[in-house]
């Protein structure tokens, strides 16, 4: 009875062990099935798949960068032209404003230049009457020139220009006296064009006088001036006066009482050269005739 009980206990123990072992195998199979189901569920598509991106090689990347640089360069060129154009317009507008409307470039005075013996810079400024306060760019330079020439007869020529930023420049050339003429009891200077322009209290040494039988008309003065201006300085000092009977009959009265028949004012330079040579060659004669310079004539008598 005791053994029977032992066999029964052993049988029950084995049965329990087998039962426990089967449940464990069942649990393992269930876990593996569940895991497989999850894996299968994860592998099945649940929606749209994300597209795979192909790999970019180095050449393509370089090409894209070059394209981007070209695009940037085009945009910069477009902006550059716009910026430059804007700056140019701004400069033009600023320049117009500065030249015509600002006080920077308005006339503020007159500068006088030139060698002046008979007039002064102050007189030139007064007669120029520069339009102070007006834009220098639009100042009437011709009007300034006319005022100086009309107001100052001793001025032969005037050059008027703009002296930036704010002055009118006046360059003056005075007339050069070549003779002295008596008009209405006044001693007047005569230049090479026959223009009377200056008063003398006393005739200066070295300038011949002009005497006209026909009166002090413009033709006579012009002919006398042409002859006097052709005389070399050392010869002019030896001439007492130029006598004009007609425009074709001009003579010189020398300070030593010798006489020179000149004729007209034509070829005066040549006649002056011939006269100088004759006076050296024949210093003792009283009369020289150079009216035809190619055939000069001398005589012992004045007449």
């Amino acid at each position: 009875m005791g053994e029977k009980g032992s066999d029964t206990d052993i049988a029950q123990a084995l049965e329990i062990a087998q039962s426990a072992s089967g449940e464990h195998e069942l649990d393992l199979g269930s876990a593996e099935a569940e895991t497989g189901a999850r894996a299968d569920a994860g592998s099945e598509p649940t929606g749209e798949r994300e597209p795979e991106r192909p790999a970019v090689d180095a050449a393509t990347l370089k090409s894209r960068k070059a394209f981007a640089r070209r695009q940037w360069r085009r945009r910069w060129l477009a902006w550059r032209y716009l910026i430059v154009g804007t700056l140019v317009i701004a400069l033009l507008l600023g320049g117009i404003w500065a030249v015509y409307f600002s006080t920077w470039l308005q006339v503020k005075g007159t500068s006088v230049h030139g060698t002046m013996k008979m007039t002064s810079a102050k007189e030139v400024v007064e007669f120029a009457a520069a339009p102070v306060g007006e834009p220098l760019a639009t100042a009437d330079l011709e009007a300034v020139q006319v005022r100086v020439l009309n107001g100052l007869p001793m001025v032969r020529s005037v050059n008027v220009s703009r002296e930036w930023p704010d002055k009118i420049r006046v360059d003056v050339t005075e007339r050069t006296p070549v003779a002295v003429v008596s008009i209405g009891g006044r001693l007047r200077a005569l230049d090479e064009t026959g223009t009377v322009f200056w008063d003398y209290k006393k005739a200066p040494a070295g300038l011949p006088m002009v005497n006209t039988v026909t009166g002090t008309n413009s033709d006579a003065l012009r002919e006398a001036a042409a002859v006097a201006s052709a005389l070399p300085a050392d010869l002019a000092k030896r001439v007492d006066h130029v006598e004009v009977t007609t425009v074709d009959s001009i003579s010189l009265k020398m300070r030593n009482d010798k006489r020179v028949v000149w004729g007209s004012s034509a070829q005066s330079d040549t006649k002056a050269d011939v006269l100088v040579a004759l006076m050296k060659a024949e210093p003792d004669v009283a009369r020289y005739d150079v009216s035809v310079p190619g055939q000069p004539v001398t005589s012992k008598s004045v007449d």
Side-chain angles (χ1 to χ4, degrees):
M1 211 170 152
E3 291 176 359
K4 232 181 222 192
S6 296
D7 293 337
T8 303
D9 291 337
I10 291 170
Q12 289 179 348
L14 289 172
E15 187 177 354
I16 292 170
Q18 290 176 355
S19 175
S21 177
E23 290 176 359
H24 181 67
E25 290 176 359
L26 179 61
D27 291 338
L28 289 175
S30 299
E32 289 176 359
E34 185 178 355
T35 302
R38 289 179 181 174
D40 292 339
S43 64
E44 291 180 358
T46 58
E48 294 183 359
R49 289 188 178 182
E50 183 179 349
E52 295 183 358
R53 296 181 179 177
V56 180
D57 60 8
T60 302
L61 184 60
K62 183 177 180 181
S63 176
R64 288 179 179 176
K65 289 182 178 180
F67 176 76
R69 285 196 298 269
R70 288 195 299 272
Q71 290 293 98
W72 181 87
R73 192 178 298 113
R74 290 192 189 98
R75 287 194 294 271
W76 163 241
L77 287 174
W79 278 104
R80 185 178 66 179
Y81 291 139
L82 180 61
I83 292 170
V84 171
T86 302
L87 289 176
V88 169
I89 293 173
L91 289 174
L92 287 175
L93 292 176
I96 292 172
W97 176 82
V99 170
Y100 294 100
F101 301 103
S102 75
T103 58
W104 303 340
L105 303 178
Q106 288 181 350
V107 178
K108 293 183 174 65
T110 305
S111 63
V112 180
H113 303 266
T115 302
M116 292 171 286
K117 297 179 180 179
M118 293 172 283
T119 186
S120 65
K122 182 179 179 181
E123 288 178 313
V124 174
V125 170
E126 290 176 355
F127 282 99
V132 176
E134 292 186 9
L136 181 59
T138 58
D140 190 344
L141 304 185
E142 186 176 353
V144 173
Q145 181 183 37
V146 170
R147 286 194 290 269
V148 173
L149 288 175
N150 289 344
L152 298 171
M154 69 284 297
V155 174
R156 179 179 180 180
S157 64
V158 179
N159 182 41
V160 183
S161 59
R162 295 176 178 84
E163 191 173 83
W164 299 96
D166 55 11
K167 282 184 172 41
I168 288 181
R169 178 186 176 112
V170 180
D171 289 276
V172 174
T173 301
E174 289 188 331
R175 297 182 185 276
T176 301
V178 296
V180 179
V181 60
S182 178
I183 300 176
R186 297 163 58 188
L187 296 175
R188 308 295 306 279
L190 190 71
D191 76 349
E192 61 184 1
T193 66
T195 302
V196 176
F197 63 92
W198 186 254
D199 284 347
Y200 291 116
K201 292 181 179 179
K202 181 181 180 181
L207 291 181
M209 290 288 297
V210 172
N211 295 333
T212 62
V213 176
T214 58
T216 53
N217 59 68
S218 59
D219 290 339
L221 293 179
R222 187 163 50 250
E223 293 297 310
V227 173
S229 62
L231 300 175
D234 57 343
L235 180 60
K237 293 177 181 178
R238 298 161 61 184
V239 177
D240 181 71
H241 65 268
V242 178
E243 191 172 283
V244 183
T245 304
T246 67
V247 293
D248 294 323
S249 181
I250 301 172
S251 59
L252 308 180
K253 179 64 181 300
M254 310 301 292
R255 296 187 187 277
N256 58 4
D257 292 332
K258 293 185 178 184
R259 190 174 187 83
V260 179
V261 178
W262 199 268
S264 70
S265 62
Q267 295 181 287
S268 286
D269 291 335
T270 303
K271 291 176 181 179
D273 293 338
V274 171
L275 178 60
V276 170
L278 282 176
M279 287 182 168
K280 288 181 179 180
E282 301 182 51
D284 297 329
V285 301
R287 183 173 182 271
Y288 302 91
D289 187 341
V290 292
S291 56
V292 181
Q295 297 177 345
V297 177
T298 61
S299 65
K300 298 288 186 179
S301 172
V302 174
D303 296 328

